Amino acid sequence: MNQRENWDRAFPAKEICRLLLDRGIITPGQHKEILGKHASVRRKIETSQQPRQSPDSKTPIPRTPVTIVDVITSLNLERADDPGRPLDEDFIVQILADHWNIPYQKIDPLELDLNLVTGTIPHSFAIKHLVLPIDVKNGCLTVATPNPFNVEVIEDIGRVSHMKVRVVVSSKTDILRLINEFFGFKRSIAGAEHQFSGLPVDLGNLEQYVKLKSSEELPSDDQHIVNAVNHLLNYAFDQRASDVHLEPKRDSSIVRMRIDGVLHTVYKLPKNVHSAMVSRIKNLSRLDMAEKRRPQDGRIKTARKGLEAEIRVSTVPVAFGEKIVMRIMDPDILFQDMAGLGFTEGDLARFQRFIGMPHGIVLVCGPTGSGKSTTLYSAMRYLSSPEINITTVEDPIEMVHEDFNQIAVQPVVGITFSTILRNILRQDPDIIMIGEMRDLETAQNAVQAALTGHLVLSTLHTNDAPSAITRLLDLGIPSFLIQATLVGVLSQRLVRKICPHCKESFPVDPVKLTAMGLDLGEEDVTELWRGKGCIKCRGTGYLGRTAVFEVLPLSEAFKQLLAQEVRLEELTRLAEAEGMVRLRENAVRKMLDGVTTYQEVLRVTWNQ
């Protein structure tokens, strides 16, 4: 029996369509449409497949068999049992796995062991039969495949691995993608390990603008280390990572990615590959490859799905070599609609009044990684128009945008936050954005700009909005100048959002919440929301993040209070009396609305 016949027996079109119809997944009309178009759609998919060649031999790999699942997926139908949601491959495979009484598993790439995936069976065997080793426990090897009835293949894997084999069902798309990614990355790392063992790294000069190649585009004759770095960056984009860490250890190099604010270990690489990958990344970001003893900052500009994206690169010497952190600046995240940032209706109106003022200082406060840059960039895009000149001073420039005149801080040539502000004032700006108020001179120049009729946006590292005023006083700004220039302060944090795909309610005891520090006031709460964990959120229960804010307008009462010696407690009491909603209160509101969990509220507002 050839491969196609084997797959046709495992996926009989009429039986699978009847199963979906009986379970209410498709309508009778959809059932008729699928069977009527089955043959023509199948031929179209088969024709579009490109022939592939195994990297470990010159033998062409047969085209992947096209099944009824591929046909249904390509028709982009809606689920009859849940209108509005697509009838996608993952859902169909889950239904089939349940019907077959075989476990279904959505494979999380972050949980896979690179050596297990690539060292158990050859690449050609894996891609020919669509099998992927994903786990070993107690001498039992778990293998994922879309076709669990290929008994001979499973037996062959058991004989080769000398282990009992447990089969789980996964989608064909996931299996193919992971085989290509993991075997391609392993091949690049292995080649690089051999290439750079005992040899100096010399990768030549490269342009700053980099076109990332997809897994299918990576040619077999490219340098291995180039392929490995390409893979890492593509993988980071696919996984929605905000940061990629490349960390040298004594005997290895660890790759970690921050996704929704949490770090995940992705790969453990050979140590002798680390310096070569660092050199490649340095070259892309125009850093000094010879300098290994001092920190450096650079950037990479690349294209992702037709849109430009920025990658900010930071190197620092640590005990076992140079550590690199690459922050991925996704334009879809950095430039958002103001209403989508997470403001309440009242706080959004207050903040829009701040940034709509003709002059003054608006401060955005919060710790590193709290979303301040996103808020500022979104505000500037909201304000941007052909009639307005927006000039920024950043260290470094987060995201290049043609509507703004952006200046990068370069201390080597005398361009700092404080010195460049004097020059900016001669550039006829309407709005000035200062990346951070770090010292007295920068703050003084910002005050001077505000006094001379400019709107100044900037950031401060403080715990809450009232603390920004005491911070300015600590820097040495006189209280009368704060009264004259400060328009308002915004403080913010990021909380993870509950995954909408596995969201569920659960009973809660208000007394326990109060004991943990969550005072709900007069709210009569008996249930809250959480994510129970699913394939979409990797079992975490969270998918994406949103911001919670604290908005403080500088009212006349505040200005009068600043005329005398003032304490932070007094400022906070006055702000609350005038209607400022604290960070924790806004976070609790998001919790009650089912946006986030009480654990996230406690995590981000522990000091409120």
Side-chain angles (χ1 to χ4, degrees):
M1 183 186 300
N2 62 35
Q3 189 182 28
R4 177 164 178 169
E5 290 173 345
N6 186 308
W7 282 75
D8 284 344
R9 287 188 59 181
F11 294 89
K14 291 182 179 179
E15 290 183 22
I16 289 176
C17 285
R18 171 55 61 179
L19 171 66
L20 296 176
L21 181 63
D22 291 343
R23 294 203 177 190
I25 307 300
I26 59 176
T27 64
Q30 290 173 327
H31 177 268
K32 184 177 180 180
E33 179 186 0
I34 293 167
L35 292 178
K37 295 181 178 179
H38 176 224
S40 60
V41 172
R42 179 171 179 166
R43 282 195 301 272
K44 183 178 179 180
I45 297 173
E46 287 174 340
T47 304
S48 66
Q49 286 186 350
Q50 297 295 323
R52 301 184 307 277
Q53 184 172 301
S54 173
D56 44 27
S57 74
K58 294 185 178 180
T59 307
I61 300 173
R63 288 185 171 93
T64 304
V66 177
T67 69
I68 185 65
V69 177
D70 301 303
V71 172
I72 297 173
T73 303
S74 68
L75 291 175
N76 297 318
L77 302 174
E78 282 191 357
R79 285 169 49 179
D81 63 327
D82 192 358
R85 298 190 67 177
L87 183 57
D88 58 23
E89 182 184 10
D90 281 325
F91 183 72
I92 298 171
V93 174
Q94 285 183 67
I95 296 295
L96 293 177
D98 179 66
H99 176 68
W100 295 331
N101 200 26
I102 299 174
Y104 168 82
Q105 184 162 339
K106 178 70 174 178
I107 306 172
D108 183 357
L110 301 180
E111 300 294 331
L112 295 183
D113 183 325
L114 178 67
N115 292 324
L116 172 67
V117 172
T118 58
T120 307
I121 55 177
H123 175 266
S124 55
F125 184 89
I127 205 165
K128 178 179 179 180
H129 300 290
L130 293 181
V131 286
L132 189 73
I134 60 173
D135 193 21
V136 173
K137 282 184 181 176
N138 302 321
C140 180
L141 175 66
T142 301
V143 173
T145 178
N147 181 6
F149 303 110
N150 208 337
V151 179
E152 291 183 7
V153 171
I154 303 304
E155 290 176 349
D156 287 343
I157 295 174
R159 282 192 292 269
V160 170
S161 63
H162 305 290
M163 286 185 281
K164 182 181 176 182
V165 178
R166 169 178 172 264
V167 178
V168 296
V169 177
S170 297
S171 71
K172 184 171 74 171
T173 299
D174 282 355
I175 297 290
L176 274 171
R177 176 173 54 83
L178 291 169
I179 288 174
N180 288 331
E181 286 182 354
F182 276 78
F183 278 92
F185 187 59
K186 177 68 174 180
R187 189 167 67 254
S188 299
I189 291 298
E193 186 178 13
H194 173 74
Q195 180 180 355
F196 295 109
S197 57
L199 295 176
V201 179
D202 183 11
L203 296 176
N205 295 322
L206 297 165
E207 292 181 356
Q208 185 181 12
Y209 189 89
V210 183
K211 179 184 182 294
L212 293 183
K213 302 167 187 172
S214 66
S215 301
E216 294 78 12
E217 291 178 310
L218 295 179
S220 58
D221 58 350
D222 244 7
Q223 293 186 54
H224 301 295
I225 208 68
V226 175
N227 290 354
V229 172
N230 260 297
H231 170 87
L232 274 186
L233 297 180
N234 274 308
Y235 194 56
F237 278 110
D238 290 340
Q239 300 300 319
R240 301 181 297 106
S242 60
D243 300 87
V244 180
H245 295 235
L246 191 58
E247 305 173 1
K249 306 299 180 184
R250 186 182 299 277
D251 301 313
S252 62
S253 178
I254 305 296
V255 178
R256 299 198 290 170
M257 293 185 184
R258 188 177 298 279
I259 302 169
D260 290 338
V262 178
L263 274 172
H264 300 264
T265 300
V266 179
Y267 297 121
K268 184 176 181 181
L269 307 178
K271 182 62 181 289
N272 61 347
V273 173
H274 178 83
S275 61
M277 294 187 73
V278 169
S279 295
R280 167 66 176 171
I281 295 167
K282 279 184 168 183
N283 233 334
L284 293 178
S285 50
R286 288 187 174 178
L287 298 180
D288 184 352
M289 290 173 57
E291 180 56 73
K292 303 179 186 295
R293 297 170 299 173
R294 64 179 178 86
Q296 296 187 70
D297 292 301
R299 64 194 309 106
I300 300 170
K301 183 168 70 173
T302 185
R304 175 70 177 173
K305 295 180 180 178
L307 296 174
E308 286 189 1
E310 304 269 348
I311 302 172
R312 203 170 72 191
V313 180
S314 171
T315 73
V316 66
V318 294
F320 300 111
E322 279 187 285
K323 177 186 174 184
I324 280 192
V325 174
M326 294 179 282
R327 169 154 288 188
I328 298 172
M329 314 305 297
D330 189 337
D332 289 338
I333 295 174
L334 206 55
F335 296 103
Q336 294 190 35
D337 187 279
M338 295 281 289
L341 292 175
F343 284 101
T344 63
E345 188 175 337
D347 283 345
L348 178 59
R350 292 187 192 97
F351 185 62
Q352 287 177 332
R353 279 200 299 272
F354 293 172
I355 60 179
M357 299 292 284
H359 56 80
I361 297 175
V362 177
L363 295 177
V364 178
C365 304
T368 301
S370 60
K372 299 188 299 295
S373 295
T374 298
T375 300
L376 280 177
Y377 269 84
S378 299
M380 288 193 296
R381 193 176 72 165
Y382 170 80
L383 295 169
S384 178
S385 74
E387 295 81 26
I388 291 179
N389 176 13
I390 299 177
T391 303
T392 76
V393 190
E394 304 170 66
D395 183 20
I397 296 172
E398 300 269 1
M399 173 68 70
V400 176
H401 194 287
E402 62 182 16
D403 289 347
F404 315 144
N405 299 292
Q406 296 168 280
I407 302 168
V409 168
Q410 300 179 68
V412 176
V413 293
I415 300 177
T416 65
F417 281 120
S418 56
T419 59
I420 196 62
L421 277 172
R422 292 191 294 270
N423 302 95
I424 288 177
L425 293 178
R426 293 192 287 271
Q427 288 286 312
D428 187 32
D430 296 292
I431 299 172
I432 301 170
M433 193 278 273
I434 304 169
E436 183 183 345
M437 282 197 189
R438 296 178 176 175
D439 50 42
L440 175 59
E441 190 178 1
T442 304
Q444 286 175 332
N445 282 297
V447 167
Q448 188 62 36
L451 287 171
T452 53
H454 305 88
L455 180 66
V456 179
L457 311 177
S458 189
T459 68
L460 269 181
H461 290 285
T462 63
N463 286 328
D464 56 18
S467 298
I469 296 172
T470 57
R471 174 67 177 146
L472 290 176
L473 291 169
D474 289 341
L475 283 175
I477 301 299
S479 59
F480 72 90
L481 287 179
I482 299 176
Q483 290 174 292
T485 57
L486 189 61
V487 173
V489 183
L490 175 79
S491 182
Q492 68 179 86
R493 299 288 190 280
L494 290 177
V495 294
R496 289 184 290 174
K497 294 191 293 185
I498 297 172
C499 174
H501 304 285
C502 60
K503 187 176 179 179
E504 65 175 9
S505 62
F506 68 99
V508 66
D509 184 355
V511 177
K512 289 185 178 179
L513 289 178
T514 303
M516 288 186 290
L518 285 179
D519 185 6
L520 303 182
E522 299 180 359
E523 293 278 358
D524 184 19
V525 178
T526 57
E527 68 174 21
L528 292 176
W529 297 87
R530 65 187 174 196
K532 61 183 178 181
C534 67
I535 59 178
K536 301 288 187 181
C537 62
R538 299 191 182 87
T540 63
Y542 298 102
L543 188 64
R545 291 188 289 178
T546 188
V548 290
F549 297 97
E550 183 175 272
V551 183
L552 171 63
L554 208 72
S555 65
E556 287 301 320
F558 251 94
K559 293 178 181 179
Q560 291 175 13
L561 187 61
L562 284 173
Q564 53 192 316
E565 189 171 336
V566 66
R567 294 184 303 166
L568 178 60
E569 294 81 5
E570 295 172 334
L571 291 171
T572 304
R573 278 197 298 270
L574 177 58
E576 290 177 340
E578 293 196 337
M580 183 188 78
V581 182
R582 301 299 304 273
L583 275 169
R584 170 158 287 192
E585 292 175 56
N586 274 326
V588 166
R589 176 50 55 193
K590 277 188 163 51
M591 175 189 76
L592 297 177
D593 290 342
V595 176
T596 190
T597 63
Y598 73 85
Q599 292 94 335
E600 280 293 286
V601 174
L602 291 170
R603 181 180 68 85
V604 303
T605 63
W606 61 272
N607 60 345
Q608 298 296 308

